[in-house]
Amino acid sequence: MNKAKYTYLFEEGNSDMRETLGGKGANLAEMSRIGLPVPPGFTVTTKACNEYYNNDANLTDEMKEQIFESLQKIEDESGKGFGEKENPLLVSVRSGAVASMPGMMDTVLNLGLNDETVEGLAEKTGNRRFALDSYRRFIQMFGDVVHGIEHYLFEDIIENEKDKNGVENDVELSEKALEDIIVEFKKVFEQKTGDKFPEDPKEQLLQAIKAVFNSWNNQRAKVYRQINDIPDDLGTAVNVQSMVFGNMGEDCGTGVAFTRNPSTGEKKLYGEFLMNAQGEDVVAGIRTPKSIEELKDILPEVYDQFVDVYEKLENHYRDMQDIEFTVEKKKLYLLQTRNGKRTAKAAVKIAVDMVKEGLIDKKEAINRVEPNHIDQLLHPQIDTEKKLDVIAKGLPASPGAASGQIVFDPNEAERKKENGENVVLLRPETTPDDIHGIVAAEGVLTSRGGMTSHAAVVARGMGKPCVSGCDAVSIDINKEVVQVDDTILKKGDLISIDGATGNVIKGEVELIDPKLGGEFKEILDWANDMKGLAVWANADTPEDAKKAREFGAEGIGLCRTEHMFMAQERIPKVRRMIMSETEEQRKEALEDLLPLQEEDFYEILKAMDGLPTTIRLLDPPLHEFLPNSQDLACEIERMKVKEEDEEKILEKEEFLKAVNALEESNPMLGHRGCRLGLTYPEIYITQAKAIIKAVIKLKDEGCKPCPEIMIPLVGYSKELSMMREMLEDTIKELEEENNISLNIPIGTMIELPRACVTADEISEHADFFSFGTNDLTQTTLGYSRDDAEGKFLHYYIQQNLLEKNPFSVLDQEGVGKLIETAVDKTRKTKPEFKLGVCGEHGGEPSSIEFFNKLGLNYVSCSPYRVPVARFAAARAKLNNN
Ligand code: ADP
Ligand code: MG
Ligand code: MG
């Protein structure tokens, strides 16, 4: 059997060996391989780490042997000797897991120094002060990082020494003072570890390597792995690299740079450096670093090396790089490179620019941009560079950010808006009566209600930010104050909300406006050209329909008709319909509503001219259109106390009776959907009539309306066949009357488990299916969404019982399995049957990937999610087909 290889010299590895060498090691190897200036070194593999653990946390003899063999090669290459006084080799010991991981051991620099080699270093550099300073840094780092000795114990000694010598800064400490510090440092080391400070560099090295391996299993690292799904048996690598010094004088320095601007994406070297400094000094913020531009004047020859190197790096990696570098006596060394983290804006610009520069193709560009980047770019964003005073956190109900004066009254919101003032509307919860206030406000904050509360749904529909269910704030609309802990804010005070995080922020924050132009539009168009799943939109109003088209929707997957009933001025008519005692009365009332509905459909179908428009007939239980029974009872009491007109009181009491009669103990599972349509056929018939009349009118005008009628909440095929017959009769009647043939598809929403498992039977009576994944999730899990989100879901997620909120991210194993079953059953007999999704999951990237795999025809989501969905659909297609 071949001997296991536990160490790789940098020149032996490459960037594909991340699993063995860790991210840092693989990239150091790659940079050496392509001839960039990297100080020589080697990597101890992740495999060694795992075997170390199998060997009861001991390095095996074989490992030690290979470590010292590799070290010997570095000595040969550099002409320096490890532990040799004359020309000592010093190294850094750096951890490096496969994925960069906070919680891993920090780096130890200057390893190899002891009482002898420090003098050699002094002689060789002609700078004893530098040598002593390097030594005391080493003892400090070694003690802190390898043995966990508290930092302050060392810092106290330095402070003491400074006081004693009457100096302010570290750099003013004399050689003598540094010598004293070293003696004191070693004392602390001995006190804390019970051992003398290891003078033998080989011992130092083995201790440091073991410490890196041990840090793989410290608490912080374990927790991080758990959260980020990183397997425990990956192990970490260790990099041992010969030191270069940025702190040897004014022709030295150290810094970090990005090959492009990570916040704007601009193609321009972006970075900072410190003259005469070592490693971590830049991050530590002790001195203010200079911008990389200035290097041009200070050390022009180094700047030129830099430009050469960073261009090579980008061309090689074909991505923006984040690099660490050190300059020793005017010579540039690279110490690390990785793909740089970037904002959404920069991600898009860099991807598009790189396509134009010929570095990557369009497919890769689409893969480089995350769907949530697209999402972020679509909403005004909070400038996170600024400090934020977050006072509470609610549900992130509708993304985007808003700032403005606090207003409690919707009318006042409207007045202020007219005066050109920005307001945020605060309510315990909102009702249809508050709509004008929501329209006028920049955003809405409610203390009650879940992700489907009125405020949340309305705000999402309008693309307005909303934080709902924020029970940490108590809103008093009478006194017009809001209290969070000790903070009390009044009407007119400034507040901000971030609907993407649920954060409530005191004061105003700076917002950055979204733009659908430039590179952003370009990449969206490329995504569209990939022709993944089609993306339709959920839109109930002509305005939404227009918006959806603007964002590229290819149809409407869900047009809910209940919103048409909810409009303030229609409520009395709707109520009359509901309160009807006879079929005759109901028909009469509906006749009244017919022209209004027709007008709605006319406008929507016109806006969607030529594109399919799926209209869902009335779904919610009727009592949703009636006032709350308790409110009504109170009102009756009041009327009695005031001794108002007997007749009026009697009338109200009748009304209350009706409201009570309609009230259900479990409306979600009650008298709604097609159950309503079957028991009150006039309602659906009237809606169908309204659609057909609108179609006929539009056709006369030369338009191409394409409505599709969708029946909600079908569980039995018989429900659909009965409904279908009824609707077809109505359609036929009108067709004959107008001497026209219309061909309107009739389909159903699949939102009950029973519908999924009997989908083949149901499909016999349907022209299409649309999976209503919101209700399907509720009915499959047996959760009522608002109750779940308001009460236990949070806990479930915290306890890792559930990974994600199943109402945002499709539960693929459960709900997804049901959908898969329905797809299989349907497509077996009807391979071309049209299938779509119209739940909120239709706009969520990981769910879209799943729908793509099932071979659905389209997803439908809120107009503002359309670009995200288009993008996610393209990526799903790229990565799965
Ligand atoms: P981190 O992951 O915290 O960045 P690193 O291992 O990259 O840890 O190193 C910390 C600092 O030390 C960085 O600034 C790095 O450039 C510097 N450094 C690491 N190794 C060397 C070396 N051999 N010579 C000079 N500086 C080094
Ligand atoms: Mg680093
Ligand atoms: Mg539903």
Side-chain angles (χ1 to χ4, degrees):
M1 206 178 84
N2 276 346
K3 258 201 302 185
K5 189 164 165 59
Y6 294 118
T7 62
Y8 284 81
L9 296 172
F10 288 166
E11 54 264 39
E12 291 179 305
N14 62 57
S15 60
D16 294 333
M17 294 174 66
R18 289 181 78 96
E19 268 183 41
T20 310
L21 305 178
K24 201 180 278 171
N27 281 329
L28 283 166
E30 184 78 6
M31 286 195 291
S32 327
R33 199 176 65 80
I34 63 173
L36 295 174
V38 177
F42 63 92
T43 305
V44 188
T45 64
T46 53
K47 190 174 156 77
C49 176
N50 286 325
E51 289 193 18
Y52 166 84
Y53 277 109
N54 291 339
N55 194 31
D56 297 326
N58 285 304
L59 297 170
T60 63
D61 290 343
E62 182 58 39
M63 287 179 203
K64 290 185 205 163
E65 206 171 288
Q66 291 190 27
I67 288 169
F68 292 123
E69 255 170 46
S70 299
L71 190 65
Q72 179 66 51
K73 297 218 171 96
I74 308 301
E75 292 180 282
D76 295 346
E77 199 174 324
S78 61
K80 298 180 183 174
F82 197 55
E84 245 169 51
K85 184 174 172 186
E86 293 317 312
N87 189 11
L89 171 68
L90 304 184
V91 298
S92 63
V93 174
R94 321 169 65 184
S95 63
V98 177
S100 129
M101 232 173 80
M104 294 298 298
M105 194 194 87
D106 287 330
T107 297
V108 179
L109 301 177
N110 308 336
L111 188 138
L113 282 174
N114 58 24
D115 290 347
E116 282 206 347
T117 52
V118 71
E119 298 303 340
L121 183 66
E123 215 157 289
K124 173 143 183 288
T125 57
N127 188 344
R128 185 151 189 277
R129 205 194 160 279
F130 155 76
L132 289 169
D133 188 51
S134 300
Y135 193 20
R136 73 93 192 150
R137 282 180 194 243
F138 168 54
I139 301 170
Q140 186 170 355
M141 272 193 241
F142 189 85
D144 169 14
V145 171
V146 178
H147 291 277
I149 300 172
E150 288 100 326
H151 205 60
Y152 78 90
L153 292 172
F154 296 115
E155 288 300 325
D156 282 355
I157 294 173
I158 297 179
E159 284 311 310
N160 250 339
E161 200 62 33
K162 282 198 274 193
D163 286 349
K164 221 162 69 190
N165 290 279
V167 300
E168 293 255 327
N169 293 312
D170 293 12
V171 284
E172 295 168 277
L173 288 167
S174 66
E175 288 176 23
K176 173 77 183 59
L178 286 168
E179 281 172 5
D180 291 348
I181 287 175
I182 289 166
V183 171
E184 293 298 315
F185 273 17
K186 286 189 175 172
K187 272 190 203 153
V188 167
F189 186 93
E190 202 173 329
Q191 266 168 21
K192 286 284 153 185
T193 64
D195 286 316
K196 276 207 163 358
F197 183 78
E199 291 278 328
D200 176 6
K202 289 192 169 174
E203 180 57 29
Q204 295 171 357
L205 181 61
L206 294 179
Q207 279 191 20
I209 291 173
K210 283 172 72 168
V212 175
F213 284 165
N214 290 338
S215 73
W216 176 255
N217 268 343
N218 72 26
Q219 205 52 34
R220 271 197 304 164
K222 276 192 198 162
V223 170
Y224 184 83
R225 283 202 293 276
Q226 206 188 358
I227 296 171
N228 292 282
D229 278 335
I230 301 173
D232 284 331
D233 59 4
L234 275 184
T236 180
V238 187
N239 301 291
V240 179
Q241 183 173 31
S242 72
M243 285 298 302
V244 285
F245 296 99
N247 55 338
M248 262 164 55
E250 289 306 318
D251 53 358
C252 302
T254 185
V256 290
F258 291 84
T259 54
R260 303 190 186 210
N261 186 317
S263 92
T264 64
E266 192 193 355
K267 190 180 180 194
K268 197 171 160 215
L269 187 60
Y270 177 93
E272 298 178 327
F273 73 103
L274 274 177
M275 297 301 291
N276 197 7
Q278 189 169 36
E280 316 253 85
D281 294 351
V282 179
V283 200
I286 306 167
R287 284 184 274 152
T288 313
K290 292 185 163 46
S291 109
I292 203 95
E293 289 281 281
E294 293 175 63
L295 197 59
K296 220 187 276 184
D297 300 326
I298 305 172
L299 294 170
E301 57 273 62
V302 174
Y303 187 78
D304 291 343
Q305 292 173 52
F306 210 109
V307 169
D308 184 45
V309 156
Y310 99 80
E311 283 173 354
K312 267 196 195 138
L313 262 180
E314 255 212 355
N315 287 331
H316 184 73
Y317 281 94
R318 301 177 307 117
D319 200 355
M320 185 259 271
Q321 296 296 296
D322 164 3
I323 49 198
E324 285 174 10
F325 64 93
T326 282
V327 177
E328 179 181 309
K329 301 214 173 276
K330 295 195 185 160
K331 170 139 179 45
L332 175 70
Y333 291 95
L334 295 183
L335 290 163
Q336 193 171 338
T337 193
R338 60 188 153 195
N339 294 340
K341 291 231 178 342
R342 61 205 78 180
T343 62
K345 187 173 173 205
V348 169
K349 177 155 173 58
I350 291 171
V352 171
D353 283 353
M354 287 193 165
V355 170
K356 293 183 181 162
E357 292 161 25
L359 281 175
I360 57 175
D361 62 13
K362 288 178 182 172
K363 287 182 184 171
E364 186 155 1
I366 286 168
N367 263 326
R368 290 250 182 106
V369 175
E370 299 292 328
N372 74 9
H373 285 145
I374 300 287
D375 196 21
Q376 279 173 35
L377 290 173
L378 283 168
H379 298 280
Q381 293 147 51
I382 288 186
D383 191 348
T384 43
E385 310 261 294
K386 303 272 153 49
K387 233 184 136 132
L388 302 174
D389 185 3
V390 177
I391 50 173
K393 205 173 169 83
L395 296 170
S398 175
S403 275
Q405 296 177 34
I406 294 176
V407 166
F408 299 90
D409 174 26
N411 296 325
E412 182 156 18
E414 219 174 18
R415 277 198 302 276
K416 292 219 172 202
K417 181 75 190 173
E418 276 163 19
N419 284 337
E421 291 164 277
N422 286 344
V423 300
V424 175
L425 182 66
L426 271 62
R427 305 282 296 175
E429 59 195 337
T430 63
T431 70
D433 292 336
D434 304 327
I435 291 275
H436 57 298
I438 301 177
V439 170
E442 303 305 304
V444 187
L445 168 63
T446 69
S447 54
R448 291 205 291 266
M451 301 281 283
T452 46
S453 64
H454 179 266
V457 172
V458 171
R460 274 202 295 277
M462 293 183 190
K464 253 179 220 247
C466 172
V467 172
S468 65
C470 185
D471 49 28
V473 302
S474 57
I475 295 171
D476 188 333
I477 42 177
N478 295 321
K479 293 204 187 101
E480 303 210 296
V481 292
V482 51
Q483 180 163 8
V484 192
D485 299 328
D486 309 328
T487 312
I488 297 181
L489 300 171
K490 316 181 294 300
K491 179 172 83 177
D493 287 348
L494 292 175
I495 198 166
S496 305
I497 57 170
D498 184 345
T501 60
N503 278 341
V504 179
I505 300 147
K506 191 175 151 187
E508 202 164 14
V509 294
E510 251 171 77
L511 295 184
I512 315 165
D513 251 352
K515 286 190 204 76
L516 195 62
E519 285 95 2
F520 188 29
K521 187 165 179 333
E522 259 173 292
I523 204 158
L524 279 177
D525 288 344
W526 296 346
N528 249 21
D529 295 342
M530 305 278 156
K531 286 275 170 272
L533 278 169
V535 177
W536 295 12
N538 298 347
D540 306 335
T541 63
E543 293 75 44
D544 278 357
K546 279 181 204 139
K547 188 103 245 154
R549 268 196 110 140
E550 210 176 287
F551 281 146
E554 296 175 61
I556 287 183
L558 177 62
C559 170
R560 282 166 290 217
T561 51
E562 47 272 20
H563 294 237
M564 300 171 178
F565 284 67
M566 287 278 190
Q568 262 326 298
E569 65 281 8
R570 297 184 190 177
I571 285 273
K573 293 192 165 91
V574 176
R575 284 183 185 162
R576 197 153 60 81
M577 183 269 288
I578 295 171
M579 311 291 296
S580 307
E581 272 163 18
T582 64
E583 199 184 309
E584 270 321 296
Q585 281 178 359
R586 177 164 297 112
K587 274 191 181 149
E588 232 170 78
L590 279 163
E591 281 306 312
D592 239 13
L593 281 167
L594 182 66
L596 299 171
Q597 280 257 290
E598 185 189 323
E599 182 64 22
D600 296 326
F601 294 137
Y602 172 85
E603 293 294 340
I604 286 206
L605 289 167
K606 190 169 171 178
M608 294 307 287
D609 191 22
L611 295 179
T613 307
T614 317
I615 298 169
R616 180 185 70 187
L617 303 187
L618 195 66
D619 180 32
L622 293 178
H623 74 78
E624 284 208 3
F625 303 100
L626 300 175
N628 176 294
S629 63
Q630 272 172 12
D631 290 351
L632 207 54
C634 288
E635 199 185 329
I636 292 170
E637 273 321 295
R638 256 198 314 274
M639 288 168 86
K640 282 184 180 163
V641 171
K642 287 193 192 157
E643 296 181 9
E644 281 182 29
D645 186 26
E646 282 279 331
E647 199 128 311
K648 277 201 177 132
I649 294 178
L650 224 59
E651 204 176 288
K652 277 267 173 212
E653 278 174 337
E654 282 301 310
F655 190 37
L656 176 60
K657 241 193 246 162
V659 170
N660 281 333
L662 280 167
E663 212 154 60
E664 295 179 298
S665 46
N666 217 332
M668 201 237 336
L669 303 173
H671 194 186
R672 52 174 287 213
C674 68
R675 301 157 200 168
L676 203 63
L678 285 163
T679 47
Y680 297 109
E682 318 79 44
I683 298 180
Y684 279 16
I685 288 175
T686 305
Q687 288 198 293
K689 275 189 190 159
I691 294 169
I692 295 157
K693 289 189 164 186
V695 168
I696 292 172
K697 195 160 157 210
L698 281 162
K699 285 202 169 206
D700 282 347
E701 292 170 18
C703 294
K704 256 190 80 189
C706 314
E708 309 198 356
I709 295 177
M710 184 154 75
I711 311 296
L713 224 68
V714 164
Y716 287 84
S717 63
K718 190 86 201 259
E719 286 173 319
L720 186 60
S721 65
M722 280 172 75
M723 281 296 353
R724 187 172 184 117
E725 202 174 313
M726 211 168 83
L727 293 176
E728 277 178 343
D729 286 348
T730 305
I731 296 175
K732 196 136 123 235
E733 210 175 281
L734 283 172
E735 279 178 336
E736 279 165 10
E737 208 171 281
N738 291 276
N739 197 15
I740 194 171
S741 155
L742 292 174
N743 235 333
I744 298 176
I746 297 174
T748 179
M749 230 158 139
I750 300 287
E751 45 192 339
L752 296 173
R754 193 181 196 286
C756 290
V757 297
T758 60
D760 44 352
E761 290 166 33
I762 297 175
S763 72
E764 283 172 34
H765 310 284
D767 300 315
F768 64 88
F769 283 165
S770 174
F771 291 97
T773 52
N774 290 358
D775 267 322
L776 188 57
T777 300
Q778 295 203 92
T779 53
T780 301
L781 271 53
Y783 290 180
S784 112
R785 179 174 184 171
D786 275 349
D787 293 326
E789 284 178 342
K791 305 213 160 71
F792 60 86
L793 211 52
H794 181 65
Y795 173 82
Y796 267 41
I797 291 167
Q798 220 172 35
Q799 296 293 314
N800 257 332
L801 242 153
L802 282 178
E803 207 179 317
K804 303 258 166 60
N805 179 343
F807 294 102
S808 316
V809 178
L810 189 81
D811 159 35
Q812 293 182 13
E813 296 80 34
V815 179
K817 260 265 140 10
L818 282 170
I819 296 177
E820 196 181 340
T821 306
V823 173
D824 289 348
K825 280 181 174 270
T826 310
R827 288 262 165 91
K828 202 171 249 167
T829 48
K830 297 188 162 183
E832 300 298 318
F833 196 78
K834 185 164 72 177
L835 297 168
V837 169
C838 62
E840 264 173 65
H841 305 93
E844 194 281 316
S846 70
S847 311
I848 291 175
E849 202 179 321
F850 179 77
F851 298 137
N852 176 70
K853 260 192 234 154
L854 293 187
L856 303 192
N857 301 86
Y858 69 90
V859 290
S860 185
C861 57
S862 112
Y864 291 89
R865 302 269 322 158
V866 167
V868 179
R870 279 164 67 193
F871 201 78
R875 276 172 62 114
K877 163 139 190 174
L878 277 180
N879 299 324
N880 284 312
N881 290 357

